[in-house]
Each structure stands twice: as C-alpha cells, then as structure tokens.
Amino acid sequence: MSEIAKIELEGKTYEFPVITGTENEKAIDISKLRDTTGYVTLDTGYKNTGATKSAITFLDGEKGILHYRGYPIEQLAEKATFIEVAYLLIYGALPTQAQLDSFSNSITKHTLVHEDMKQFFEAYPAKAHPMGVLASMVCSLSTFYPESLDPNRSAEAKDLTIHRLLAKLPTLAAWSYKNAMRHPFMYPKNEYDYCGNFLHMMFAMPTEDYKIDPVVVSALNKLLILHADHEQNCSTSTVRIVGSSQANLYATISAGISALWGPLHGGANQAVIEMLEKIHNDGGDVDKWVAKAKDKDDPFRLMGFGHRVYKNFDPRATIIKKACDDVLEKMGINDPMLEIAKKLEKVALEDEYFKARNLYPNVDFYSGIIYRALGIPTEMFTVMFALGRLPGWISQWKEMTENNEPIGRPRQIYTGATPRDYVEISKR
Ligand code: CMC
C-alpha cells in the first residue's frame, strides 16, 4: 500500500501522497495543498523543498555519496574525461566510442566565437571581473544565434545550441582572462581536446606556444568532472527557474553563471584563497582566525567550510585533496597557502564549534590551491567552476524542458502593512 501523509488543519484531516525516489528518498507531495486546504508551506531558503523530480544526480549528504546518472563520482573522476561526463549528464548514458567521437567532433567544430564579439570584450575595463564578462558574453550569444530564441524548436536545434554553448564557453572564459591582461586573444586549435584547448587559449601567446602538460590536463579534467553537477542548488535551481519561462538556453545559463558568482556558492573558491592569503599576510595565526569564525559578532566565516547538504564529508573534497597533493608533488610546487590550509583544516576539525555544526572542508577548500598550481589566476577560479558546471546546468535545463515543467512561481507569506490610505506629501 502506498504511503500517505496526513495533515490536520482547523479540525480537518487531509491526506497527501508520499513519493519515493529510486534511492528511497521520501517526499510528501503537497502540489494540491493550496487547492485543497488554502494553505501554502513556508520554507525560506528551500531547505526542505523538493522543487522537481530529477534522474540526473543523486546525492546523500549524510553518507557523503554523489552519483551522476548512477555512476559514483569517485569512478568518474578516476577514469572518465570531462567530455565523456558531459555526454553522460546531458544524454543520460555513457557514450559508445562512436557517440563520443561524434560529440567531441561537433564541439570542436563550434569553438570559435563570432569575430564581432571581440569588440564586446575590448569595451570592458581591464579590471572587469571575468564572471561579469562571462555572464554577459554567454547571454550575448543569443543575439548571434536567433534560432536559439525558441528553446523548443526541435531536438536537432536544441542539440546544436547545446553543442555551441559547450564549445564556446572555454573560448569566452579564456578570452575574458586575456582581455583582463590586455593580451591578444588566442584562437582555439582543433588538434587539442577540450581541456588542452582551454589551456592553450589561456596560456599560449602569439610569440610562444603553450606546451600541453598531461599532468595539468589530467588535473583539470578531474576538477571539471567534480564540479559537473550537484543536483538542485542556488545556480542550478536558477537555471531551472529561468528556463521554465522558456527563455533561451544562453540567457538561462547566463543567469546560472550569475547565481554561481556569489561567495556562498561558486565564488567560495576565490574567497578561500583570498582568506588563506589574508591569514598568511597576517602572520599565519590560524587559531586567531578560527576564533573569529566562531565569534557571532564577527561576520568572518571560514570560507570553504560547511555545506548545505553534506553533513559528514564532501566526497568531492576527499578526491580533490588527494589530487591536490599529487599535482603539487608532480609539479614540484611548494605553496605556503597549502600549509595554512592544512593547519586550518586540522584546527577546525578538532574544534567543538565546527564538530557540533558538522562543518567540514568542502570542494572549494582545495580546488583553489590546485588552480593556483595550474597557473590559473584567482579571479578566474569561479569561471573554472562555471566551465565544470555547464554540462550539469544544460542537463537540468534539458530535463526540465523535456518534462514540460510549468513555470516556477513560488508563493509567499505577506508580512507588510495592511491596507491604509494614501497620505498627501505635505501631511507626512
Ligand atoms: N564558518 C563558520 N561558521 C559557519 C560556517 C563557516 N564557514 N558555515 C556555517 N557556519 C555556522 C553558522 O554560523 C551557523 O551557526 P549557528 O547554528 O550557531 O547559527 C551554522 O554553522 C549553520 O550555518 P548555516 O549558514 O545555517 O548553514 P547553511 O546550510 O545555510 O549554509 C553554507 C551553508 C555553505 C552557505 C555555509 O556553510 C557557508 O557560508 N560556508 C562558507 C562558504 C562556502 O564555503 N561556500 C561553498 C559551498 S560548496 C560549493 C557549492 O556547492 O556551492
């Protein structure tokens, strides 16, 4: 017999179905709550709200489990390439060799961006944050591809838009960096794979080729895979809600990039390095900064600690911590920030405040240190997160459009003034 949840309101009992997911996740389906009872639920920050049914990513925050389409993140990070994972997320299955070749070729074919877009870059000030540039450039793509404006035109048109976006994001990301440096843009090279091509556009100069280092490519692949999807969260839910209005994919992903930018979400990786530098420049007294993080009168928080859903450990942080040690060793890098990070992690993990609140290092605690080792500048860290998250956002958008989900439109509980009469300005 299927489970039923009962709610008692004003002496009446109402019944609501219980929905069970494939991993035994339970939810009370309250979609008829307002129609039958006149009540809505109140859940600021959506901490208990399932906004959709999704077959893409499974996450168990208590057990530290993360699966993409059923495959454990540990296996994907170890064995797959980012582009293979992108295919998996977007199309729902691991690709055959032929499918992968065709997908990779299509993406390689679309890596160039329209020459006119170069002028947009040049108009930004040199100090422009690359996330601001990236969000605007991605939205601007819609103006070059008007056929994308109707997201439901056909499956082929949808695929073309998806492939274009996946192909062009690394070009736009690398160019936002080149522009900030006031260096000439490097065009994509079809001989390189996805990660190699991005590194080439970031670091090659017209005067000097960039030597693609397999250690760097492998680390980048891993980082992008770890960020590729994370079920519902601030940026992904933004993507689903913007996409639900049937806005085009470029505008929708641009909104996701903006949502990711904040320091409580994807911007945390930049904030972590800035925090470590601050502690380093302040003499490296880790205890002092841990005390500040615990002080409720001090707004300082330990960046890279805590997570809305992971309450024991973040499986991505476990993988990345090891990758971080490997990369630094292979590249012969001795980074004082890593020493501070390790001290901070030790002190915080032994501290009652952090233990009681289940605050552990998250994926962003270590990703910044690897990005530094790879030569990526701090302001580009959140852009790197966006590159990784793109296939996840696209797959969530595709799923939502294919399931014909209705436009997102939450309710609220009004707490403002009750009706009152307008007062002439002279009498206020
Ligand atoms: N440093 C110190 N105290 C913290 C921290 C922290 N990093 N994170 C949470 N707390 C405390 C918080 O003050 C609160 O304490 P109390 O119960 O005494 O009021 C308690 O822990 C619960 O915090 P919360 O803000 O209610 O938790 P949340 O689930 O709303 O927030 C979070 C999650 C990630 C926004 C938060 O932990 C945070 O601000 N962390 C630092 C920023 C960060 O690293 N963000 C990246 C998240 S991972 C990347 C991604 O997926 O976006």
Side-chain angles (χ1 to χ4, degrees), residues 264-265 268 296 301-302 304-305 307-308 353 357 362 364:
L264 298 190
H265 191 13
K296 293 289 169 207
R301 276 188 168 199
L302 280 191
F305 269 77
H307 200 276
R308 174 58 65 78
Y353 172 96
R357 290 168 181 75
N362 58 50
D364 289 324

Side-chain angles (χ1 to χ4, degrees), residues 51-218:
T52 189
K53 289 188 206 162
S54 177
I56 301 169
T57 290
F58 172 68
L59 194 166
D60 183 328
E62 271 68 40
K63 296 193 185 128
I65 291 174
L66 176 63
H67 294 169
Y68 298 161
R69 303 279 188 190
Y71 297 102
I73 190 67
E74 292 78 7
Q75 292 180 22
L76 294 171
E78 166 107 28
K79 296 181 182 156
T81 62
F82 175 63
I83 217 66
E84 206 180 347
V85 169
Y87 185 99
L88 169 70
L89 286 168
I90 296 168
Y91 296 108
L94 283 171
T96 61
Q97 189 62 54
Q99 286 167 330
L100 185 62
D101 292 347
S102 144
F103 183 59
S104 302
N105 290 340
S106 171
I107 287 171
T108 305
K109 223 169 63 190
H110 291 292
T111 47
L112 265 182
V113 297
H114 199 289
E115 278 297 287
D116 288 353
M117 285 191 88
K118 278 167 73 178
Q119 296 168 34
F120 299 176
F121 279 102
E122 283 153 11
Y124 284 109
K127 286 204 162 72
H129 194 288
M131 281 297 276
V133 176
L134 193 70
S136 315
M137 287 296 170
V138 167
C139 198
S140 303
L141 285 173
S142 61
T143 64
F144 289 85
Y145 302 105
E147 65 276 19
S148 69
L149 297 185
D150 173 4
N152 297 320
R153 230 174 87 200
S154 68
E156 293 73 33
K158 200 178 248 185
D159 268 349
L160 179 59
T161 303
I162 290 174
H163 292 197
R164 276 195 178 125
L165 183 51
L166 280 168
K168 292 178 203 307
L169 199 71
T171 313
L172 295 174
W175 284 16
S176 67
Y177 167 62
K178 287 287 194 198
N179 190 54
M181 302 286 287
R182 291 297 191 251
H183 282 175
F185 299 128
M186 294 303 297
Y187 286 97
K189 269 195 178 175
N190 285 0
E191 69 197 75
Y192 297 135
D193 67 5
Y194 199 80
C195 290
N197 201 16
F198 172 71
L199 292 165
H200 152 76
M201 290 187 285
M202 279 286 288
F203 299 122
M205 295 287 277
T207 45
E208 210 175 321
D209 281 348
Y210 172 77
K211 254 178 96 194
I212 306 274
D213 180 342
V215 174
V216 175
V217 171
S218 149

Side-chain angles (χ1 to χ4, degrees), residues 47 227 230 233 260 263-269 272 293-294 296 300-309 311 314 316 353-354 357 359 362-365 385 389:
K47 295 190 179 197
H227 285 94
H230 213 227
N233 53 69
L260 186 75
L264 298 190
H265 191 13
N269 53 17
V272 168
K294 290 165 29 177
K296 293 289 169 207
F300 175 75
R301 276 188 168 199
L302 280 191
M303 287 293 129
F305 269 77
H307 200 276
R308 174 58 65 78
V309 287
K311 296 302 176 197
D314 179 340
R316 303 166 303 169
Y353 172 96
F354 290 88
R357 290 168 181 75
L359 299 171
N362 58 50
V363 68
D364 289 324
F365 191 65
F385 194 153
R389 185 55 54 89

Side-chain angles (χ1 to χ4, degrees), residues 230-245:
H230 213 227
E231 53 120 288
Q232 309 316 306
N233 53 69
C234 180
S235 59
T236 302
S237 302
T238 298
V239 162
R240 287 187 88 121
I241 213 152
V242 174
S244 78
S245 75

